Amino acid sequence: MTERGLLDTSTVVLLGRLDARDLPDELLIATITLAELSVGPLVTTNRKERAARQAVLQQAEADFHPIPFDADAARAFGRVAASLRAAGRKVQARSYDAMIAAVAIANELPLFTVNPGDFTGIEGLDLRSLEHPDQDHRSR
């Protein structure tokens, strides 16, 4: 059986630097990830950084057919927002992450991330933590 998995935005940005053995066979993203990636080139004043962010966005647009944030995801978002509030976290501060989590839940997909702390307190989310490529391996 081929494993399918949704990637959060930070994982898409780092995709070329991650160990492919830790990733699902079928990589998926949400439309929310494209929205988040679209912000990147527009908010930096550094030309080199803008070009790098634009390249990531264009690569994601070329490589993926994103899963939409649809009515099922909207209903799941309500549950995600409620569980974040119950955990004492502000939904607004994590709005992109909460919406990506809702897409994962609505589509019964595991969510792969290098930033598991971004998803703390979300009930019903099958979260798969990946090792950040910049993590210091010597401290283990």
Side-chain angles (χ1 to χ4, degrees), residues 3-4 22 109-114 116 125-130:
E3 182 181 32
R4 301 170 71 215
D22 297 332
L109 293 167
L111 179 62
F112 289 77
T113 182
V114 294
L125 179 62
D126 180 1
L127 190 63
R128 310 283 177 91
S129 181
L130 299 169

Side-chain angles (χ1 to χ4, degrees), residues 1-99:
M1 183 169 109
T2 301
E3 182 181 32
R4 301 170 71 215
L6 191 69
L7 307 179
D8 78 327
T9 307
S10 61
T11 304
V12 172
V13 170
L14 295 169
L15 196 53
R17 298 178 54 209
L18 298 174
D19 189 334
R21 296 172 295 184
D22 297 332
L23 296 168
D25 299 317
E26 186 177 351
L27 307 176
L28 304 166
I29 66 168
T31 52
I32 305 306
T33 295
L34 281 184
E36 191 172 6
L37 289 172
S38 294
V39 173
L42 301 174
V43 296
T44 183
T45 57
N46 181 297
R47 287 182 30 213
K48 190 173 182 179
E49 182 64 24
R50 183 180 306 113
R53 291 178 182 189
Q54 186 67 35
V56 170
L57 170 61
Q58 289 174 326
Q59 191 68 56
E61 289 173 333
D63 291 348
F64 296 99
H65 297 287
I67 298 172
F69 186 87
D70 59 11
D72 290 335
R75 284 189 288 281
F77 179 78
R79 296 189 304 273
V80 168
S83 65
L84 285 170
R85 280 189 179 188
R89 300 190 73 199
K90 293 185 179 190
V91 178
Q92 296 84 349
R94 302 258 50 104
S95 59
Y96 291 124
D97 295 331
M99 293 175 83

